[in-house]
Amino acid sequence: MALANSLQNKLDTKKIVIMDGGTGTEISRRGVDIETNRSWSANANISHPDLVRDIHRDYILAGAEIIITNTFSTSRATLATDGLSEQTEAINKQSVRLAMDARKSCDAQETVVIAGSMSAFEPKVHPEIIPSYEEALEDYREQVGILDGAGVDLIVLEMFSRTVDLKAAIGAATETGLPIWV
């Protein structure tokens, strides 16, 4: 909660807050093939945890005050496209743990906020997958519950192409009481 208050103070005083860069893009740049996965960088939390942790650490050392968990594509529905739906909780928790480990290794527990990311569902690869509002809400509730339970300070909702998905994500995230950025 102290981190959330620290972030709120920065926003209230209209100070610039520096966020990290694209984690998934950086995973790919550092040599992990994520293009063949429909869940994109999600599996790297399990297959390349040291790399994911190092990316968070490098962003902190570069001055990031907010690091975003590698959970951009870790909802159950998205993980199901790669047959990973049964690992939804493990992959999300691992991602938060890696961000927390990076923050701790930089002794930045009081200065760096960890944001849990949630994004739009597929139509990226499967345009026929268009969940209803109720299906999306259920999926986002599960993911945001895992992220909140794992200890994120903030929820970031990014890259939504359908307003119905964004509305469901906001609805689910609001239930946590955590700050939300869209």
Side-chain angles (χ1 to χ4, degrees):
M1 192 55 124
L3 286 174
N5 291 338
S6 171
L7 176 62
Q8 189 61 50
N9 289 339
K10 287 180 183 190
L11 297 176
D12 289 346
T13 59
K14 299 183 190 229
K15 291 185 179 178
I16 294 172
V17 178
I18 300 172
M19 293 178 72
D20 65 3
T23 304
T25 305
E26 189 63 15
I27 289 168
S28 178
R29 191 187 74 73
R30 294 188 188 194
V32 176
D33 177 18
I34 62 174
E35 299 304 321
T36 57
N37 298 323
R38 291 183 209 131
S39 58
W40 203 48
S41 65
N43 197 37
N45 293 319
I46 303 298
S47 65
H48 294 82
D50 293 338
L51 178 70
V52 174
R53 186 182 309 106
D54 288 348
I55 290 168
H56 290 311
R57 190 198 71 229
D58 291 347
Y59 280 132
I60 293 169
L61 294 175
E65 298 166 282
I66 299 174
I67 56 173
I68 300 174
T69 58
N70 186 36
T71 55
F72 174 80
S73 57
T74 60
S75 72
R76 182 172 297 276
T78 303
L79 290 172
T81 63
D82 278 332
L84 300 171
S85 64
E86 294 306 312
Q87 295 182 55
T88 300
E89 185 171 354
I91 289 172
N92 279 275
K93 284 183 174 180
Q94 172 78 342
S95 182
V96 175
R97 196 169 22 257
L98 295 171
M100 288 181 163
D101 289 350
R103 179 173 70 180
K104 185 175 182 181
S105 75
C106 294
D107 196 25
Q109 295 93 315
E110 299 299 320
T111 58
V112 173
V113 173
I114 295 176
S117 170
M118 296 194 314
S119 70
F121 293 106
E122 297 302 305
K124 297 171 253 178
V125 177
H126 292 285
E128 74 278 7
I129 299 175
I130 301 177
S132 68
Y133 172 81
E134 292 77 19
E135 292 168 321
L137 180 62
E138 180 180 327
D139 206 53
Y140 288 125
R141 277 183 174 147
E142 177 186 28
Q143 187 180 10
V144 78
I146 296 167
L147 296 173
D148 183 26
V152 299
D153 305 302
L154 162 73
I155 298 296
V156 170
L157 306 176
E158 53 183 326
M159 298 192 66
F160 284 81
S161 55
R162 292 185 339 134
T163 55
V164 68
D165 293 333
L166 181 57
K167 181 179 177 185
I170 290 170
T174 300
E175 293 172 4
T176 68
L178 291 170
I180 303 165
W181 281 11
V182 179

